Amino acid sequence: MVTQDRARSGVRLTARGAVALIFAITLASRPTGSMMIIGLVFCAACLAAVLLVQPRDLLSLVVTPPLIFFVASLISAVFGTFGAPSVVQALGLGLFTGLSAAAPWLFGGSALVLAVAWFRGLPAGVSELRAELRAGRALANAGVPGPRPGRSAAGPRSGDEPAFAPEPEGYFEPRVYGSPREPKD
């Protein structure tokens, strides 16, 4: 059953979806060649993404517009080097001129994302991240190892427990992995 809040919220994107939205729309505007159109489309894509992203993903989205714009400019510059006598020179010049001409639009889009995200709850996300970092630092100062990739964060382990989690009994079945070896005399 869909709740009232969820039904009213409409479409919500994850941070990855919002990044993909900005990237695809910005890259699609590149063939126009007009920096004004590219900049306006980039700012509009940034606004759409920040309005559609889930509130918990605002912090991830706020830092990505410059990177997205750089990658879109790099791809555009790479395609612009086809047929050039010096690929490296054409790539460097195309990337430099593209980024310098688009700097106001890049800053405007980034500022727009930051401003809208601020009103959508970015300070709460930053506070949550700080609390997680403080908790991790406190655990590290106490000598308790924090969660690592592949290990659950169920809690601190005591010195008596092994450093690995053994597989449950019967996990490796002999009929699948072969038969057990007979001990040699």
Side-chain angles (χ1 to χ4, degrees):
M1 179 177 190
V2 178
T3 63
Q4 281 284 12
D5 294 333
R6 182 126 175 128
R8 274 189 271 133
S9 67
V11 176
R12 288 287 175 220
L13 297 174
T14 62
R16 289 182 201 157
V19 166
L21 174 75
I22 297 171
F23 179 70
I25 292 174
T26 303
L27 198 56
S29 70
R30 285 294 184 168
T32 64
S34 169
M35 197 48 66
M36 179 175 265
I37 292 173
I38 294 169
L40 286 172
V41 167
F42 175 72
C43 289
C46 286
L47 180 63
V50 77
L51 290 174
L52 294 175
V53 75
Q54 297 173 3
R56 65 185 169 145
D57 291 334
L58 286 170
L59 187 57
S60 300
L61 179 65
V62 166
V63 298
T64 57
L67 180 62
I68 295 167
F69 197 86
F70 172 75
V71 171
S73 297
L74 179 65
I75 290 171
S76 177
V78 166
F79 282 117
T81 62
F82 293 142
S86 173
V87 174
V88 175
Q89 185 179 13
L91 179 65
L93 185 61
L95 193 58
F96 177 75
T97 57
L99 288 175
S100 60
W105 295 107
L106 174 60
F107 292 132
S110 299
L112 183 66
V113 168
L114 183 61
V116 174
W118 188 270
F119 289 107
R120 287 203 57 220
L122 182 63
V126 172
S127 298
E128 183 179 316
L129 177 63
R130 283 185 177 172
E132 287 176 14
L133 291 174
R134 277 191 216 115
R137 195 175 308 128
L139 286 175
N141 289 340
V144 177
R148 295 183 194 146
R151 201 173 107 195
S152 71
R157 62 170 203 243
S158 66
D160 299 334
E161 293 181 32
F164 64 95
E167 300 298 332
E169 291 292 324
Y171 184 76
F172 293 105
E173 299 177 22
R175 62 184 162 84
V176 175
Y177 296 102
S179 59
R181 292 187 170 182
E182 297 293 328
K184 293 185 180 182
D185 295 323

